């Protein structure tokens, strides 16, 4: 789930160039609705749930996990 403090909130998927970092957004769950394979112009909102594919190391860095 995307927190309100996330750098992704309010920005389009293309803004952070996730695909160039090897991160693919497979879908977004928003308000109990599913957005499959979102376009690069889709903006991320707080509380979105992202289904992603990519390197665990990059994902942890992006989402600032400690583990």
């Amino acid at each position: 789930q995307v927190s309100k403090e996330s750098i992704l909130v309010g920005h389009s998927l293309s803004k952070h160039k996730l695909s160039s970092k090897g991160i693919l957004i497979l879908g977004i769950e928003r308000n109990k609705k599913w957005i499959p394979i979102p376009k690069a112009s889709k903006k991320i909102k707080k509380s979105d749930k992202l289904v992603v594919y990519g390197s665990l190391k990059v994902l942890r860095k992006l989402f600032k996990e400690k583990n």
Side-chain angles (χ1 to χ4, degrees):
Q1 184 169 326
V2 179
S3 71
K4 64 182 179 182
E5 296 87 19
S6 173
I7 61 169
L8 300 174
V9 172
H11 300 285
S12 66
L13 293 173
S14 63
K15 166 128 172 86
H16 294 283
K17 300 181 173 123
L18 299 175
S19 62
S20 70
K21 297 173 185 171
I23 303 298
L24 300 175
I25 307 296
L26 303 175
I28 301 171
E29 183 182 329
R30 179 180 291 159
N31 300 321
K32 298 184 181 182
K33 293 184 181 174
W34 178 246
I35 303 167
I37 311 170
K39 295 183 184 215
S41 60
K42 182 62 80 179
K43 289 189 177 183
I44 300 297
K45 297 182 179 182
K46 68 178 181 176
S47 299
D48 279 355
K49 293 179 182 174
L50 305 179
V51 176
V52 299
Y53 174 83
S55 159
L56 189 55
K57 182 179 178 180
V58 175
L59 289 168
R60 284 183 172 152
K61 184 177 179 182
L62 179 66
F63 293 102
K64 305 212 186 306
E65 256 189 42
K66 301 295 182 199
N67 299 328

